[in-house]
C-alpha cells in the first residue's frame, strides 16, 4: 500500500530515542522529511545523522524543551523555514513512567501530578497549538499523540491522569480541526522494546544470570505473548500520519499487542 507520504514534512518530538526515534525512522522511510526535537542536543544530533544516512531523507535536529512555549514556537518556525511548511506532528516527548515513581494515594502529591501534566499533556497542547494554523491554512494535517495503556489501568493516579488527559486533548482537537482537513489520533503503546528497556534488561540479565529473551518473556502478558518493538508501534503511527488514515480521527488506537480478557468498544 502506498501511504501517500512521499514529500510530506513532519515534526517528531521525543525523537532522539525510543518510540519517537522509531516513528521518525518510519516516516523517513516513507519519504517524509523530518525535524526531530528533544532536550539533549548531542543525542539529538547523533540520531538525526544516523537516520538521515539510513533513510536518505532530510532529518534535522532542533533541541527543544516542550515545556517552554517560546521554544515550541521556534521549533515550528524552524521547520517551516527548513522545509517550506509542515504537514505532520507526532508528539512523543515525555518522561518515561519508570519504577520508583509514587503510585499510591498517600504518596501522590500535587507536584507529582503537576510534573506529569506539564511535560506530557501541556507539552502536547503547546506543539499542537503551534502547528494548527499551518495545517488549517493548507487544509490538511495529521497530529498523532503518543500516550499509553496506562490510560486504561488504575495502577497509578498520576500515570492514569496524564494518559487519559492526552486522550481527552486528542478528541477535542479532532472535533475542532476535523472540518479543516486535520485528523488527530492518540496511540496507546503498552510495554515496548526500546533502547532504554533493552539497556535495563541487559544489566538485569547479567545480574540474574539469565537471557534478555527470558526477561522479556516474563513480562509479555499481552495477547500475543511477546513484547511489541518500538518499530512496530511506529508502523501504526506512520499509517495514522498518512492520507490513508482519513477514516480515523479522535479515537485511541492501542498498540500493545492486546490486553487479554478486556473488551473495549
Amino acid at each position: 500500500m502506498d501511504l501517500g507520504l512521499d514529500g510530506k514534512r513532519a515534526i517528531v518530538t521525543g525523537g532522539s530515542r525510543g518510540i519517537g526515534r522509531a516513528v521518525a525512522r518510519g516516516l523517513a522511510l516513507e519519504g517524509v522529511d523530518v525535524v526531530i526535537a528533544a532536550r539533549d542536543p548531542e543525542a539529538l544530533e547523533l540520531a538525526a545523522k544516523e537516520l538521515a544516512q539510513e533513510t536518505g531523507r532530510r532529518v534535522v535536529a532542533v533541541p527543544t524543551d516542550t515545556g517552554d512555549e517560546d521554544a515550541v514556537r521556534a521549533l515550528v518556525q524552524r521547520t517551516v523555514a527548513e522545509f517550506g511548511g509542515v504537514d505532520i506532528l507526532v508528539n512523543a516527548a515525555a518522561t518515561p513512567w519508570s519504577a520508583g515513581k509514587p503510585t499510591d494515594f498517600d504518596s501522590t502529591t500535587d507536584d507529582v501530578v503537576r510534573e506529569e501534566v506539564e511535560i506530557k499533556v501541556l507539552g502536547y497542547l503547546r506543539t499542537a497549538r503551534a502547528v494548527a494554523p499551518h495545517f488549517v491554512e493548507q487544509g490538511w494535517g495529521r497530529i498523532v499523540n503518543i500516550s499509553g495503556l496506562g490510560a486504561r489501568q488504575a495502577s497509578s493516579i498520576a500515570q492514569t491522569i496524564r494518559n487519559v488527559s492526552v486522550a481527552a486533548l486528542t478528541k477535542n482537537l479532532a472535533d475542532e480541526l476535523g472540518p479543516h482537513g486535520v485528523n488527530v489520533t492518540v496511540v496507546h503503546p503498552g510495554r515496548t522494546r526500546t533502547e532504554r528497556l533493552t539497556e535495563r534488561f541487559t544489566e538485569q540479565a547479567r545480574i540474574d544470570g539469565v537471557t534478555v529473551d527470558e526477561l522479556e518473556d516474563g513480562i509479555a502478558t499481552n495477547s500475543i505473548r511477546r513484547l511489541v518493538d518500538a518499530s512496530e508501534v511506529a508502523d501504526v503511527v506512520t499509517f495514522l500520519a498518512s492520507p490513508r488514515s482519513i477514516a480515523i480521527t479522535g479515537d485511541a488506537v492501542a498498540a500493545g499487542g492486546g490486553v487479554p480478557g478486556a473488551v473495549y468498544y
Side-chain angles (χ1 to χ4, degrees), residues 6-134:
D6 191 50
K8 297 291 188 187
R9 303 151 299 187
I11 295 171
V12 179
T13 70
S16 62
R17 64 184 306 178
I19 291 174
R21 177 181 171 134
V23 168
R25 177 179 180 272
L27 290 171
L29 287 171
E30 291 293 326
V32 179
D33 290 326
V34 185
V35 164
I36 57 173
R39 287 181 291 184
D40 184 339
E42 291 183 6
L44 197 64
E45 286 289 350
L46 179 60
K49 180 179 179 181
E50 291 175 347
L51 290 172
Q53 289 175 342
E54 178 186 1
T55 66
R57 302 301 303 188
R58 294 185 66 193
V59 182
V60 178
V62 180
T64 307
D65 179 358
T66 58
D68 183 332
E69 182 86 32
D70 291 337
V72 169
R73 289 200 190 103
L75 167 65
V76 175
Q77 290 169 357
R78 173 77 181 278
T79 303
V80 173
E82 289 277 351
F83 297 156
V86 60
D87 306 292
I88 297 161
L89 168 66
V90 179
N91 278 314
T95 54
W97 190 264
S98 56
K101 287 191 176 183
T103 59
D104 63 285
F105 177 47
D106 288 340
S107 300
T108 303
T109 64
D110 289 358
D111 286 340
V112 169
V113 178
R114 188 176 291 114
E115 180 183 7
E116 295 303 322
V117 171
E118 175 65 38
I119 293 171
K120 194 161 188 176
V121 184
L122 293 179
Y124 287 14
L125 176 60
R126 291 183 189 101
T127 53
R129 185 189 297 128
V131 300
H134 298 277

